[in-house]
CSV table of all heavy atoms in Angstrom, one decimal:
chain,number,residue,atom,x,y,z
A,1,LEU,N,0.8,-1.2,0.0
A,1,LEU,CA,0.0,0.0,0.0
A,1,LEU,C,0.9,1.3,0.0
A,1,LEU,O,0.5,2.3,-0.6
A,1,LEU,CB,-0.9,0.0,1.2
A,1,LEU,CG,-2.1,-1.0,1.1
A,1,LEU,CD1,-2.8,-1.1,2.5
A,1,LEU,CD2,-3.1,-0.5,0.1
A,2,ARG,N,2.0,1.2,0.7
A,2,ARG,CA,2.9,2.3,0.8
A,2,ARG,C,3.4,2.6,-0.6
A,2,ARG,O,3.5,3.8,-1.1
A,2,ARG,CB,4.0,2.1,1.7
A,2,ARG,CG,5.0,3.2,1.9
A,2,ARG,CD,6.0,2.9,2.9
A,2,ARG,NE,6.9,4.1,3.1
A,2,ARG,CZ,8.1,4.1,2.4
A,2,ARG,NH1,8.5,3.2,1.5
A,2,ARG,NH2,8.9,5.2,2.6
A,3,GLN,N,3.8,1.6,-1.4
A,3,GLN,CA,4.3,1.8,-2.7
A,3,GLN,C,3.2,2.4,-3.6
A,3,GLN,O,3.5,3.3,-4.5
A,3,GLN,CB,4.7,0.5,-3.3
A,3,GLN,CG,6.0,-0.1,-2.7
A,3,GLN,CD,7.1,0.9,-2.8
A,3,GLN,OE1,7.4,1.4,-3.8
A,3,GLN,NE2,7.8,1.1,-1.6
A,4,LEU,N,1.9,2.0,-3.4
A,4,LEU,CA,0.8,2.6,-4.2
A,4,LEU,C,0.6,4.0,-3.9
A,4,LEU,O,0.5,4.9,-4.7
A,4,LEU,CB,-0.4,1.8,-4.0
A,4,LEU,CG,-1.7,2.3,-4.7
A,4,LEU,CD1,-1.5,2.2,-6.2
A,4,LEU,CD2,-2.9,1.4,-4.3
A,5,SER,N,0.7,4.3,-2.6
A,5,SER,CA,0.5,5.7,-2.1
A,5,SER,C,1.7,6.6,-2.6
A,5,SER,O,1.5,7.7,-3.0
A,5,SER,CB,0.4,5.8,-0.6
A,5,SER,OG,0.2,7.1,-0.1
A,6,LEU,N,2.9,6.0,-2.6
A,6,LEU,CA,4.0,6.8,-3.1
A,6,LEU,C,3.9,7.1,-4.6
A,6,LEU,O,4.3,8.1,-5.1
A,6,LEU,CB,5.3,6.0,-2.9
A,6,LEU,CG,6.0,6.3,-1.5
A,6,LEU,CD1,7.1,5.2,-1.3
A,6,LEU,CD2,6.7,7.6,-1.5
A,7,SER,N,3.3,6.1,-5.3
A,7,SER,CA,3.1,6.4,-6.8
A,7,SER,C,2.2,7.6,-7.0
A,7,SER,O,2.4,8.3,-8.0
A,7,SER,CB,2.5,5.1,-7.4
A,7,SER,OG,1.1,5.0,-7.2
A,8,VAL,N,1.3,7.8,-6.1
A,8,VAL,CA,0.4,9.0,-6.3
A,8,VAL,C,1.3,10.3,-6.1
A,8,VAL,O,1.2,11.3,-6.8
A,8,VAL,CB,-0.7,9.0,-5.3
A,8,VAL,CG1,-1.6,10.3,-5.4
A,8,VAL,CG2,-1.6,7.8,-5.5
A,9,ALA,N,2.1,10.2,-5.0
A,9,ALA,CA,3.0,11.4,-4.8
A,9,ALA,C,3.9,11.7,-6.0
A,9,ALA,O,4.2,12.8,-6.4
A,9,ALA,CB,3.9,11.2,-3.5
A,10,ARG,N,4.4,10.6,-6.6
A,10,ARG,CA,5.2,10.8,-7.8
A,10,ARG,C,4.4,11.4,-9.0
A,10,ARG,O,4.9,12.2,-9.7
A,10,ARG,CB,5.8,9.4,-8.2
A,10,ARG,CG,6.8,8.8,-7.2
A,10,ARG,CD,7.6,7.6,-7.8
A,10,ARG,NE,8.5,7.1,-6.8
A,10,ARG,CZ,8.2,6.0,-6.1
A,10,ARG,NH1,7.0,5.4,-6.2
A,10,ARG,NH2,9.0,5.5,-5.2
A,11,THR,N,3.2,10.9,-9.1
A,11,THR,CA,2.3,11.4,-10.2
A,11,THR,C,2.0,12.9,-10.0
A,11,THR,O,2.1,13.7,-10.9
A,11,THR,CB,1.0,10.7,-10.3
A,11,THR,OG1,1.3,9.3,-10.5
A,11,THR,CG2,0.1,11.2,-11.3
A,12,LEU,N,1.8,13.3,-8.7
A,12,LEU,CA,1.5,14.7,-8.4
A,12,LEU,C,2.8,15.5,-8.6
A,12,LEU,O,2.7,16.7,-9.1
A,12,LEU,CB,1.0,14.8,-6.9
A,12,LEU,CG,-0.4,14.2,-6.6
A,12,LEU,CD1,-0.6,14.2,-5.1
A,12,LEU,CD2,-1.5,14.9,-7.4
A,13,THR,N,3.9,15.0,-8.3
A,13,THR,CA,5.2,15.7,-8.5
A,13,THR,C,5.4,16.0,-10.0
A,13,THR,O,5.9,17.0,-10.4
A,13,THR,CB,6.4,14.8,-8.0
A,13,THR,OG1,6.2,14.7,-6.5
A,13,THR,CG2,7.7,15.5,-8.3
A,14,ALA,N,4.9,15.0,-10.8
A,14,ALA,CA,5.0,15.2,-12.3
A,14,ALA,C,3.9,15.9,-12.9
A,14,ALA,O,3.7,16.0,-14.1
A,14,ALA,CB,5.1,13.8,-12.9
A,15,ARG,N,3.0,16.5,-12.0
A,15,ARG,CA,1.8,17.3,-12.4
A,15,ARG,C,0.8,16.4,-13.2
A,15,ARG,O,0.1,16.9,-14.1
A,15,ARG,CB,2.2,18.5,-13.1
A,15,ARG,CG,3.1,19.4,-12.3
A,15,ARG,CD,3.5,20.7,-13.1
A,15,ARG,NE,4.4,21.6,-12.4
A,15,ARG,CZ,4.1,22.4,-11.4
A,15,ARG,NH1,2.8,22.5,-11.0
A,15,ARG,NH2,5.0,23.1,-10.8
A,16,GLY,N,0.7,15.1,-12.8
A,16,GLY,CA,-0.2,14.3,-13.5
A,16,GLY,C,-1.5,14.2,-12.8
A,16,GLY,O,-1.7,14.7,-11.7
A,17,ASP,N,-2.5,13.5,-13.4
A,17,ASP,CA,-3.8,13.3,-12.8
A,17,ASP,C,-3.8,12.0,-12.0
A,17,ASP,O,-3.6,10.9,-12.5
A,17,ASP,CB,-4.9,13.2,-13.9
A,17,ASP,CG,-6.3,13.0,-13.3
A,17,ASP,OD1,-6.4,12.9,-12.1
A,17,ASP,OD2,-7.2,12.9,-14.1
A,18,ALA,N,-4.0,12.1,-10.7
A,18,ALA,CA,-3.9,11.0,-9.8
A,18,ALA,C,-5.2,10.6,-9.1
A,18,ALA,O,-5.2,9.8,-8.1
A,18,ALA,CB,-2.8,11.3,-8.7
A,19,ALA,N,-6.3,11.1,-9.6
A,19,ALA,CA,-7.6,10.9,-9.0
A,19,ALA,C,-7.9,9.4,-8.9
A,19,ALA,O,-8.4,9.0,-7.8
A,19,ALA,CB,-8.7,11.6,-9.8
A,20,ASN,N,-7.7,8.6,-9.9
A,20,ASN,CA,-8.1,7.2,-9.9
A,20,ASN,C,-7.2,6.5,-8.9
A,20,ASN,O,-7.6,5.6,-8.1
A,20,ASN,CB,-8.0,6.6,-11.3
A,20,ASN,CG,-8.8,5.4,-11.4
A,20,ASN,OD1,-10.0,5.5,-11.2
A,20,ASN,ND2,-8.2,4.3,-11.9
A,21,GLN,N,-5.8,6.7,-9.0
A,21,GLN,CA,-4.9,6.1,-8.0
A,21,GLN,C,-5.3,6.5,-6.6
A,21,GLN,O,-5.2,5.6,-5.7
A,21,GLN,CB,-3.5,6.5,-8.3
A,21,GLN,CG,-2.9,6.1,-9.7
A,21,GLN,CD,-1.6,6.8,-10.0
A,21,GLN,OE1,-1.7,7.9,-10.5
A,21,GLN,NE2,-0.5,6.2,-9.6
A,22,ALA,N,-5.6,7.7,-6.4
A,22,ALA,CA,-5.9,8.2,-5.0
A,22,ALA,C,-7.1,7.4,-4.5
A,22,ALA,O,-7.2,7.1,-3.3
A,22,ALA,CB,-6.2,9.7,-5.0
A,23,ALA,N,-8.2,7.2,-5.3
A,23,ALA,CA,-9.3,6.5,-4.9
A,23,ALA,C,-9.0,5.1,-4.5
A,23,ALA,O,-9.5,4.5,-3.5
A,23,ALA,CB,-10.4,6.5,-6.0
A,24,LEU,N,-8.1,4.5,-5.2
A,24,LEU,CA,-7.7,3.1,-5.0
A,24,LEU,C,-6.9,3.0,-3.6
A,24,LEU,O,-7.1,2.1,-2.8
A,24,LEU,CB,-6.8,2.6,-6.1
A,24,LEU,CG,-6.4,1.1,-6.1
A,24,LEU,CD1,-7.7,0.2,-6.1
A,24,LEU,CD2,-5.5,0.8,-7.3
A,25,VAL,N,-6.0,4.0,-3.4
A,25,VAL,CA,-5.3,4.1,-2.1
A,25,VAL,C,-6.3,4.2,-1.0
A,25,VAL,O,-6.1,3.5,0.1
A,25,VAL,CB,-4.3,5.3,-2.1
A,25,VAL,CG1,-3.8,5.5,-0.7
A,25,VAL,CG2,-3.2,5.1,-3.1
A,26,LYS,N,-7.3,5.0,-1.1
A,26,LYS,CA,-8.2,5.2,0.0
A,26,LYS,C,-9.0,4.0,0.3
A,26,LYS,O,-9.2,3.6,1.4
A,26,LYS,CB,-9.1,6.4,-0.4
A,26,LYS,CG,-9.9,7.0,0.8
A,26,LYS,CD,-11.2,6.3,1.0
A,26,LYS,CE,-11.9,6.8,2.2
A,26,LYS,NZ,-13.1,6.1,2.5
A,27,ASP,N,-9.5,3.3,-0.8
A,27,ASP,CA,-10.3,2.1,-0.6
A,27,ASP,C,-9.4,1.0,0.1
A,27,ASP,O,-9.8,0.5,1.1
A,27,ASP,CB,-10.8,1.6,-2.0
A,27,ASP,CG,-11.6,0.3,-1.9
A,27,ASP,OD1,-11.9,-0.1,-0.8
A,27,ASP,OD2,-12.0,-0.2,-3.0
A,28,LEU,N,-8.3,0.7,-0.5
A,28,LEU,CA,-7.5,-0.4,0.0
A,28,LEU,C,-6.9,0.0,1.4
A,28,LEU,O,-6.8,-0.9,2.3
A,28,LEU,CB,-6.4,-0.8,-1.0
A,28,LEU,CG,-6.8,-1.3,-2.3
A,28,LEU,CD1,-5.6,-1.5,-3.2
A,28,LEU,CD2,-7.6,-2.6,-2.2
A,29,GLY,N,-6.4,1.2,1.5
A,29,GLY,CA,-5.8,1.7,2.7
A,29,GLY,C,-6.7,1.7,3.9
A,29,GLY,O,-6.3,1.2,5.0
A,30,THR,N,-7.9,2.2,3.8
A,30,THR,CA,-8.8,2.2,4.9
A,30,THR,C,-9.3,0.9,5.3
A,30,THR,O,-9.6,0.6,6.5
A,30,THR,CB,-10.0,3.2,4.7
A,30,THR,OG1,-10.6,2.8,3.5
A,30,THR,CG2,-9.5,4.6,4.5
A,31,ARG,N,-9.4,-0.1,4.4
A,31,ARG,CA,-9.8,-1.4,4.7
A,31,ARG,C,-8.6,-2.1,5.5
A,31,ARG,O,-8.9,-2.8,6.5
A,31,ARG,CB,-10.1,-2.3,3.5
A,31,ARG,CG,-11.5,-2.0,3.0
A,31,ARG,CD,-11.9,-3.1,1.9
A,31,ARG,NE,-11.2,-2.8,0.6
A,31,ARG,CZ,-11.1,-3.7,-0.3
A,31,ARG,NH1,-11.4,-5.0,-0.1
A,31,ARG,NH2,-10.5,-3.4,-1.5
A,32,PHE,N,-7.4,-1.8,5.1
A,32,PHE,CA,-6.3,-2.3,5.8
A,32,PHE,C,-6.2,-1.8,7.3
A,32,PHE,O,-6.0,-2.5,8.2
A,32,PHE,CB,-5.0,-1.9,5.1
A,32,PHE,CG,-3.7,-2.0,5.9
A,32,PHE,CD1,-3.1,-3.2,6.1
A,32,PHE,CD2,-3.2,-0.9,6.6
A,32,PHE,CE1,-1.9,-3.3,6.8
A,32,PHE,CE2,-2.1,-0.9,7.4
A,32,PHE,CZ,-1.4,-2.2,7.5
A,33,GLU,N,-6.5,-0.5,7.4
A,33,GLU,CA,-6.5,0.1,8.8
A,33,GLU,C,-7.6,-0.6,9.7
A,33,GLU,O,-7.3,-0.9,10.8
A,33,GLU,CB,-6.9,1.6,8.7
A,33,GLU,CG,-5.8,2.5,8.1
A,33,GLU,CD,-6.1,3.9,8.0
A,33,GLU,OE1,-7.3,4.3,7.8
A,33,GLU,OE2,-5.2,4.8,8.1
A,34,ALA,N,-8.7,-0.8,9.1
A,34,ALA,CA,-9.8,-1.5,9.9
A,34,ALA,C,-9.3,-2.9,10.4
A,34,ALA,O,-9.5,-3.3,11.5
A,34,ALA,CB,-11.1,-1.5,9.1
A,35,GLU,N,-8.7,-3.6,9.4
A,35,GLU,CA,-8.3,-5.0,9.8
A,35,GLU,C,-7.1,-5.0,10.7
A,35,GLU,O,-7.0,-5.9,11.5
A,35,GLU,CB,-8.0,-5.7,8.5
A,35,GLU,CG,-9.2,-6.0,7.6
A,35,GLU,CD,-8.8,-6.5,6.2
A,35,GLU,OE1,-7.7,-6.9,6.0
A,35,GLU,OE2,-9.7,-6.4,5.3
A,36,SER,N,-6.3,-4.0,10.7
A,36,SER,CA,-5.2,-3.9,11.6
A,36,SER,C,-5.6,-3.7,13.1
A,36,SER,O,-5.0,-4.2,14.0
A,36,SER,CB,-4.2,-2.7,11.3
A,36,SER,OG,-4.8,-1.5,11.6
A,37,VAL,N,-6.8,-3.1,13.3
A,37,VAL,CA,-7.3,-3.0,14.6
A,37,VAL,C,-7.7,-4.3,15.2
A,37,VAL,O,-7.4,-4.7,16.3
A,37,VAL,CB,-8.6,-2.1,14.6
A,37,VAL,CG1,-9.2,-2.0,16.0
A,37,VAL,CG2,-8.3,-0.7,14.1
A,38,GLU,N,-8.3,-5.1,14.3
A,38,GLU,CA,-8.7,-6.5,14.8
A,38,GLU,C,-7.5,-7.3,15.1
A,38,GLU,O,-7.5,-8.1,16.0
A,38,GLU,CB,-9.6,-7.1,13.7
A,38,GLU,CG,-10.9,-6.4,13.4
A,38,GLU,CD,-11.6,-6.8,12.2
A,38,GLU,OE1,-11.2,-7.9,11.6
A,38,GLU,OE2,-12.6,-6.1,11.7
A,39,LEU,N,-6.5,-7.2,14.2
A,39,LEU,CA,-5.3,-8.0,14.5
A,39,LEU,C,-4.6,-7.6,15.8
A,39,LEU,O,-4.2,-8.5,16.6
A,39,LEU,CB,-4.3,-7.8,13.3
A,39,LEU,CG,-2.9,-8.6,13.5
A,39,LEU,CD1,-3.1,-10.1,13.6
A,39,LEU,CD2,-1.9,-8.2,12.4
A,40,VAL,N,-4.4,-6.4,16.0
A,40,VAL,CA,-3.8,-5.9,17.3
A,40,VAL,C,-4.6,-6.4,18.5
A,40,VAL,O,-4.0,-6.8,19.5
A,40,VAL,CB,-3.6,-4.4,17.3
A,40,VAL,CG1,-3.1,-3.9,18.7
A,40,VAL,CG2,-2.6,-4.0,16.2
A,41,ASP,N,-5.9,-6.3,18.4
A,41,ASP,CA,-6.7,-6.8,19.5
A,41,ASP,C,-6.4,-8.3,19.7
A,41,ASP,O,-6.3,-8.7,20.9
A,41,ASP,CB,-8.2,-6.7,19.1
A,41,ASP,CG,-9.1,-6.7,20.3
A,41,ASP,OD1,-8.6,-6.7,21.4
A,41,ASP,OD2,-10.4,-6.8,20.1
A,42,ASP,N,-6.3,-9.1,18.7
A,42,ASP,CA,-5.9,-10.5,18.9
A,42,ASP,C,-4.5,-10.6,19.5
A,42,ASP,O,-4.2,-11.5,20.3
A,42,ASP,CB,-5.9,-11.3,17.5
A,42,ASP,CG,-7.4,-11.4,17.0
A,42,ASP,OD1,-8.3,-11.3,17.8
A,42,ASP,OD2,-7.5,-11.6,15.8
A,43,LEU,N,-3.6,-9.8,19.0
A,43,LEU,CA,-2.2,-9.9,19.5
A,43,LEU,C,-2.0,-9.6,21.0
A,43,LEU,O,-1.1,-10.1,21.6
A,43,LEU,CB,-1.3,-8.9,18.7
A,43,LEU,CG,-1.0,-9.2,17.2
A,43,LEU,CD1,-0.2,-8.1,16.6
A,43,LEU,CD2,-0.4,-10.5,17.0
A,44,LEU,N,-3.0,-8.8,21.5
A,44,LEU,CA,-2.9,-8.4,22.9
A,44,LEU,C,-2.9,-9.6,23.8
A,44,LEU,O,-2.4,-9.5,25.0
A,44,LEU,CB,-4.0,-7.4,23.3
A,44,LEU,CG,-3.8,-5.9,22.8
A,44,LEU,CD1,-4.8,-5.0,23.4
A,44,LEU,CD2,-2.4,-5.4,23.2
A,45,GLU,N,-3.5,-10.7,23.4
A,45,GLU,CA,-3.6,-11.9,24.2
A,45,GLU,C,-2.2,-12.4,24.5
A,45,GLU,O,-2.0,-13.1,25.5
A,45,GLU,CB,-4.5,-12.9,23.5
A,45,GLU,CG,-5.9,-12.5,23.3
A,45,GLU,CD,-6.7,-13.5,22.5
A,45,GLU,OE1,-6.2,-14.6,22.3
A,45,GLU,OE2,-7.9,-13.2,22.2
A,46,ALA,N,-1.3,-12.1,23.6
A,46,ALA,CA,0.1,-12.7,23.7
A,46,ALA,C,1.0,-11.7,24.4
A,46,ALA,O,2.2,-11.9,24.6
A,46,ALA,CB,0.7,-13.0,22.4
A,47,LEU,N,0.5,-10.5,24.8
A,47,LEU,CA,1.3,-9.5,25.4
A,47,LEU,C,1.0,-9.2,26.9
A,47,LEU,O,-0.2,-9.4,27.3
A,47,LEU,CB,1.1,-8.1,24.7
A,47,LEU,CG,1.5,-8.1,23.2
A,47,LEU,CD1,1.1,-6.8,22.6
A,47,LEU,CD2,3.0,-8.3,23.0
C-alpha cells in the first residue's frame, strides 16, 4: 500500500492526474486500517 501511495506522490510531482490512483489508495488503505485494529486486538492476548 505504501508503494501505491508513493506512486500518487510521484504522479503529483510530475503534475499528472492521480484521481483514480488516489481513490484506490483510499479504498485499500482504509480497509487495511480497519483490519489492523482487529489483528492488534488478537495480538494483545500474547502481550
Side-chain angles (χ1 to χ4, degrees):
L1 286 167
R2 181 175 181 269
Q3 291 303 311
L4 181 59
S5 183
L6 270 168
S7 75
V8 177
R10 293 190 183 99
T11 299
L12 293 172
T13 296
R15 301 184 183 279
D17 181 0
N20 204 53
Q21 293 167 275
L24 189 59
V25 170
K26 196 272 179 186
D27 180 5
L28 297 176
T30 54
R31 279 192 283 160
F32 164 83
E33 289 179 329
E35 291 168 18
S36 72
V37 177
E38 298 168 11
L39 175 64
V40 171
D41 200 8
D42 291 340
L43 292 179
L44 283 186
E45 297 177 6
L47 297 175

